[in-house]
Amino acid sequence: MKISKLRYIPVVVLFIFSLTNCSSDNDEPENQEQDGGDTTDGDVTDGDGETTSDIPYEVLELKNWKITLPRDFNNDGIADEVYLDKSRNDFEGDPSFKTYKDEFFFAKNKNVLFSCPSLKDIPTTGNSSNTRSELREMPSDESGEKGWDANDNSIKTLDFKVKIVQTSSTKKFAFAQIHDFKQDVWDDILRVQIQSDKPNAVEGDTGRIYLLGDVIEGRATDGFPIDFRNSNYADRYIKDDYVLGEWLTIKITIQNSILKIYLEDMNMPIRTYTNITCKSNYYKAGVYNQSVNLDSNGNGIAEFSEINISENF
């Protein structure tokens, strides 16, 4: 009897071993999902659904923009631009904006940084002497430049989170703008700027956040509907105690000729401007250095963790 029992042991062991292997095979896909799932070349998110991409377009979902850069690879004497539709790029060697990154526009720690030198010999756009690494609002369908009307009933919104990392020797740059590109009177409707208390300031140094542009500086004698300078210039500073490296949350809206600017409190505007009658406008965001001259040096650097814009076209 003992011998007959022993004959069945190998069969039982083999059966248990087979069950163990089947269970192990079934568990493997479940473990992969818990560790983040499929890690193919197209995956740009981690286990929490956050991006792991190093492409600015993907990090901040920048589907409504092109970028102007402080370089001139096609040697036409002006700053290069990179578009969603790469056939429109100034330099044919550049990829689409959807995959573009360089030393002036790059992702770091799930944020996007804009860096722009203030040297005088850096190429600029045709209508400015100041350098920029800056986004320009574009239709998300990859068509050409368009502008929206500040007078109609739709709300045009730009909101973003930004911290100023560094200023150049000029101490100041714009990190958000509204422009009009077709009317004779309106031009740079609004610039949101940093001015540091010392040149080449870095995180921990102090400065001020302030507003300039047509709604702050425009005069009635220049053709504007009212004298904006008399009404608004004295109140141009919106944060006198800014420390570089601190995050700012800002929202800008335009509707029915009324421009509102929000700082930190997204329900209560810190400034409201009326009589904004421009008709072909677009938003901008990034680094646009100010007062660049022959003696300028250093880079303006801004870091954005969010840039959100309404569909305005």
Side-chain angles (χ1 to χ4, degrees):
M1 292 296 292
K2 290 181 180 178
I3 294 174
S4 62
K5 286 181 179 179
L6 287 173
R7 287 175 182 172
Y8 288 98
I9 291 174
V11 176
V12 173
V13 171
L14 180 61
F15 179 72
I16 294 172
F17 180 75
S18 299
L19 287 175
T20 303
N21 279 350
C22 289
S23 175
S24 175
D25 289 343
N26 289 336
D27 284 343
E28 282 185 5
E30 182 178 348
N31 289 339
Q32 285 180 348
E33 286 184 4
Q34 290 173 351
D35 290 339
D38 183 16
T39 55
T40 60
D41 290 341
D43 185 12
V44 293
T45 59
D46 61 18
D48 296 323
E50 296 184 3
T51 182
T52 58
S53 174
D54 64 349
I55 304 299
Y57 174 91
E58 294 175 346
V59 172
L60 296 188
E61 300 181 12
L62 300 172
K63 65 178 182 177
N64 296 83
W65 305 92
K66 70 175 180 179
I67 189 164
T68 306
L69 298 161
R71 46 87 156 171
D72 178 22
F73 285 179
N74 67 336
N75 298 312
D76 65 353
I78 58 175
D80 292 337
E81 294 186 320
V82 178
Y83 293 78
L84 290 166
D85 176 4
K86 75 173 188 176
S87 68
R88 303 188 69 220
N89 289 347
D90 293 331
F91 176 60
E92 64 179 11
D94 284 330
S96 164
F97 177 67
K98 294 178 181 178
T99 59
Y100 188 82
K101 62 177 181 177
D102 67 4
E103 67 204 89
F104 308 117
F105 177 59
F106 59 94
K108 181 179 179 182
N109 299 326
K110 300 179 182 179
N111 297 329
V112 171
L113 283 88
F114 297 78
S115 178
C116 186
S118 63
L119 301 175
K120 187 64 176 177
D121 60 351
I122 296 294
T124 66
T125 54
N127 57 353
S128 176
S129 60
N130 292 317
T131 57
R132 73 183 80 206
S133 172
E134 187 179 41
L135 300 175
R136 193 269 200 204
E137 181 188 8
M138 298 285 287
S140 58
D141 63 3
E142 303 186 17
S143 59
E145 286 84 350
K146 292 182 181 178
W148 39 261
D149 191 341
N151 302 280
D152 64 34
N153 192 45
S154 65
I155 303 175
K156 276 70 66 173
T157 302
L158 171 66
D159 66 78
F160 55 91
K161 292 183 178 179
V162 63
K163 69 175 179 179
I164 308 305
V165 177
Q166 178 178 302
T167 62
S168 72
S169 63
T170 71
K171 303 193 293 184
K172 53 191 174 182
F173 63 80
F175 52 88
Q177 296 193 75
I178 302 174
H179 265 254
D180 183 292
F181 72 115
K182 287 187 176 180
Q183 293 183 264
D184 293 333
V185 176
W186 295 97
D187 180 20
D188 55 340
I189 292 91
L190 175 72
R191 299 195 307 274
V192 186
Q193 301 195 172
I194 171 69
Q195 180 170 338
S196 57
D197 292 327
K198 69 178 187 179
N200 303 111
V202 296
E203 292 189 44
D205 292 330
T206 56
R208 295 172 288 177
I209 306 300
Y210 65 113
L211 309 173
L212 285 178
D214 296 337
V215 299
I216 311 298
E217 304 169 276
R219 296 184 182 277
T221 54
D222 295 327
F224 291 100
I226 62 172
D227 200 307
F228 290 112
R229 189 176 183 89
N230 283 345
S231 302
N232 303 327
Y233 189 77
D235 292 326
R236 64 191 181 280
Y237 292 102
I238 59 174
K239 189 172 180 62
D240 288 319
D241 56 351
Y242 180 67
V243 178
L244 276 72
E246 290 183 351
W247 287 99
L248 298 165
T249 301
I250 295 174
K251 180 171 72 173
I252 305 168
T253 67
I254 293 186
Q255 179 191 29
N256 295 328
S257 308
I258 301 172
L259 167 61
K260 296 180 180 180
I261 300 167
Y262 302 76
L263 176 63
E264 306 310 333
D265 184 348
M266 297 297 101
N267 296 311
M268 181 64 67
I270 194 169
R271 295 288 186 275
T272 298
Y273 303 113
T274 59
N275 294 282
I276 313 302
T277 59
C278 39
K279 297 180 179 180
S280 46
N281 312 290
Y282 54 88
Y283 285 113
K284 309 191 83 174
V287 171
Y288 177 38
N289 286 315
Q290 300 293 294
S291 303
V292 174
N293 56 62
L294 292 174
D295 299 320
S296 301
N297 63 78
N299 284 32
I301 304 175
E303 181 173 349
F304 289 77
S305 64
E306 291 183 20
I307 300 177
N308 305 304
I309 194 167
S310 55
E311 284 283 357
N312 297 326
F313 304 115

